[in-house]
Amino acid sequence: MTRPPHIAAERCAENIALNYLLHQVPESPQQTPIGRVQGSANGYLLPFSKERDLVEILSFLAKTKDGSDYIPAACIEQDPNGAALKALLAVNKRTYTDGYGLLQSLKAGFEDIFNVLRRPLYGRGSSTEITKQLLEKIVQLCSSRITCRLRLTGKKRKESKATIKDILQKAAEGARQINSQKLHQFDLEESLSLFKEKSKSVIQSVNEWSHHRVSSRLVVVVEMVYQLNNVPGLHQLLQLIPSGPTKIIKESAFAVSLLNIIRKVSRYKEAARVLHRIAKKFPLVRNIEIHVATLPKEAFDRPHHPEYSPSLSAVLCRLGKIDGKQYNISQISQFLRCDKTKGPSDQFSEQTTRILLEAKIHAEIQLIAYCELQDFPLFPRAIASSKDACFLCHAFIRSHGKMSTSRTHGRLYPGWRLPMLLSFKRLEHRFNEVLLNYARQTIKARHKGQVDARPQPNESTLLPMVASASTMSSVHGSVQINTERTAWVPSVSLDTGTMKTADSIAELVERKHLSVGSELLKSCFQAPSDPSTGAVNLTASSPFFSAGRLHIYFEMEGNSTLELASQSLVYSIEIMTGDQTTMLSAGSLIVDVMKLEREMTYRIPADGTFCISAHGIVVKIVCKR
């Protein structure tokens, strides 16, 4: 006998209310490394990492207005015949008609952005022009959000926050109080000079925009903030600015707040660069279609059961025995911080009723439901929201098992629900079991005193983008170090040859690219090594190398097959022993990729030698000219 649909919805609301009562932040913030994503790549034309980058970009850009309403999410579906990609968009909705105008506006805005990529502008020297045009379209779509991020416009507050101009001026004043010995110790003298110079450029561009608020001038502001973001050691430099009651900077979180503004505004330029790079390498992306993922009207129906009354006792009975013990309300109350005026039973009842009457279907859940209804042969593998996934979305995505989200902030939003769709009932039943199991685990941990109150997490973080790469420039070429942190290993890239992170350790093992222990770096194609040094010579035909947890992939880049064939740069690479590392001269260029958080530029030494370090491993690379 089929259970009435309102029963499953009521039980889901009860399970959510119970878990919220037990812990408002059930998980710590976490990221999902690319290497941990399961599933076959058969039939997919885009690598998973590129699919994820695209949905990260789209979801970030889709939040065009300030505020907590209509949080967007995106995923990408590939046509079975490989003829097209579809970008699917959704926003958090309480009713069927919520966000209709916004979604249509987003669809039109993204079509304008991808129209730039459809133009035949992929010849030599076209990169700068394409990125410039993409940024212009992005700024047009996101101008309101950008100015809010810069605190130039936004909600009326009792105490208006300082603008980016005011903050940078205060930072420059505070920087004068930095201890000169610390600047020298961390080699940040040049960074401080650059910071002052780039800050002035940002302030000047903001002044010009203030006089004439047009999109073209806002583009310049974004460009200037992007350049400021590229100041080497910016994070460390800002942290050195003294703060306290007697200092110019009174706020303890000043550096974190300023860096957050700089990084998020820089992301608009980074998004343009990443879109261009992916479209250049994967022409299929240039013809991407933008679709609004609309669920049937009945999905937003609410359960109507006049006789229903939430009961905490009934839910606790449904949990059964936990470690041989059946818990009741009195026992649960002992380790809960309940409202002094209301007991746990009243709080549970009110929360459950509120969920049933007011909860939203989050955008990620709408996308999953839409894809299930469409029964896509190639199910989208990555899904992203403009915010980190909440605890319930993250738990449902894992329970669903077909998609991956990059990160979660771990907070439980009680105003959350599943769509009322008969085809979704199997998933809803499975998810209810997940919630019950989580409640059992939490009660067990609380009984043992193992659950501590977690602080309210930052709900909006940025995932480093693959094309947000560091650049080592030289006369003959440049080396880019990708700061992708969620993959198993950092990746390294060269302008004439790009070293990128392998999608997973399993993939390396499958292709026999993984070296063992402290053996010298080896190529999966058995590139010849120099007997005198043990170094491996790198060419376009030997791209994979591994050194413990540091995996390196060289990929030649160019605008045509002919251009690639004409490239003959050769590199050698070897792992440095502890003794060899200590013998490096004081002026040696050593880049720790795990400390990189943004695009950085380094000049390659005259001898073409530099070192990459990660996880205690140091690798020496020599560019042979």
Side-chain angles (χ1 to χ4, degrees), residues 437-450:
N437 285 332
Y438 204 93
R440 293 184 186 104
Q441 294 168 14
T442 306
I443 290 172
K444 182 178 177 180
R446 278 201 174 278
H447 178 71
K448 295 179 178 180
Q450 297 174 345

Side-chain angles (χ1 to χ4, degrees), residues 31 34 52-53 229-230 263 267 270 273-274 462-471 480-493 499-501 591-602:
Q31 291 190 352
I34 288 180
R52 191 192 66 168
D53 287 342
N229 188 49
N230 291 339
R263 286 179 175 172
R267 178 50 56 96
E270 292 172 359
R273 295 180 67 242
V274 174
L462 289 179
L463 186 74
M465 289 184 176
V466 170
S468 297
S470 301
T471 302
Q480 296 182 333
I481 304 175
N482 172 14
T483 59
E484 174 65 73
R485 292 182 176 276
T486 59
W488 280 94
V489 290
S491 52
V492 183
S493 64
M499 293 190 275
K500 296 181 179 178
T501 304
V591 180
D592 186 341
V593 296
M594 300 309 293
K595 292 182 179 179
L596 293 175
E597 297 180 351
R598 67 187 67 85
E599 181 169 312
M600 304 290 290
T601 299
Y602 303 92

Side-chain angles (χ1 to χ4, degrees), residues 375-576:
D375 194 23
F376 292 138
L378 291 174
F379 209 90
R381 296 169 294 174
I383 188 169
S385 168
S386 62
K387 285 188 173 185
D388 297 3
C390 70
F391 167 75
L392 291 171
C393 282
H394 188 231
F396 187 85
I397 290 167
R398 284 185 299 187
S399 172
H400 177 247
K402 296 181 183 179
M403 304 174 84
S404 170
T405 187
S406 301
R407 57 210 188 278
T408 175
H409 53 65
R411 181 178 174 183
L412 193 158
Y413 293 135
W416 187 100
R417 58 170 291 210
L418 292 173
M420 293 281 285
L421 294 170
L422 288 175
S423 59
F424 221 57
K425 289 307 165 186
R426 179 180 56 83
L427 292 170
E428 186 171 36
H429 175 74
R430 184 196 304 170
F431 187 59
N432 273 329
E433 288 302 314
V434 168
L435 293 179
L436 286 174
N437 285 332
Y438 204 93
R440 293 184 186 104
Q441 294 168 14
T442 306
I443 290 172
K444 182 178 177 180
R446 278 201 174 278
H447 178 71
K448 295 179 178 180
Q450 297 174 345
V451 176
D452 297 322
R454 296 188 180 98
Q456 291 298 323
N458 180 3
E459 298 174 16
S460 179
T461 59
L462 289 179
L463 186 74
M465 289 184 176
V466 170
S468 297
S470 301
T471 302
M472 297 182 179
S473 60
S474 70
V475 176
H476 296 278
S478 65
V479 178
Q480 296 182 333
I481 304 175
N482 172 14
T483 59
E484 174 65 73
R485 292 182 176 276
T486 59
W488 280 94
V489 290
S491 52
V492 183
S493 64
L494 293 124
D495 201 332
T496 51
T498 302
M499 293 190 275
K500 296 181 179 178
T501 304
D503 277 354
S504 69
I505 287 180
E507 179 181 316
L508 287 169
V509 173
E510 180 183 350
R511 298 180 186 176
K512 300 182 174 23
H513 299 156
L514 192 62
S515 63
V516 181
S518 60
E519 291 182 346
L520 280 172
L521 220 51
K522 293 181 179 179
S523 163
C524 66
F525 296 106
Q526 301 301 315
S529 61
D530 186 331
S532 62
T533 64
V536 177
N537 292 323
L538 310 184
T539 64
S541 64
S542 58
F544 286 98
F545 302 88
S546 295
R549 293 173 64 193
L550 176 60
H551 306 277
I552 301 172
Y553 168 50
F554 278 74
E555 178 186 65
M556 303 304 291
E557 287 193 346
N559 295 325
S560 67
T561 305
L562 180 62
E563 182 181 342
L564 289 177
S566 68
Q567 293 176 345
S568 58
L569 289 176
V570 177
Y571 307 85
S572 70
I573 184 168
E574 64 176 310
I575 298 177
M576 304 286 285

Side-chain angles (χ1 to χ4, degrees), residues 262-279:
I262 292 171
R263 286 179 175 172
K264 287 185 177 177
V265 174
S266 298
R267 178 50 56 96
Y268 295 97
K269 173 64 180 288
E270 292 172 359
R273 295 180 67 242
V274 174
L275 282 175
H276 168 243
R277 285 176 66 91
I278 296 177

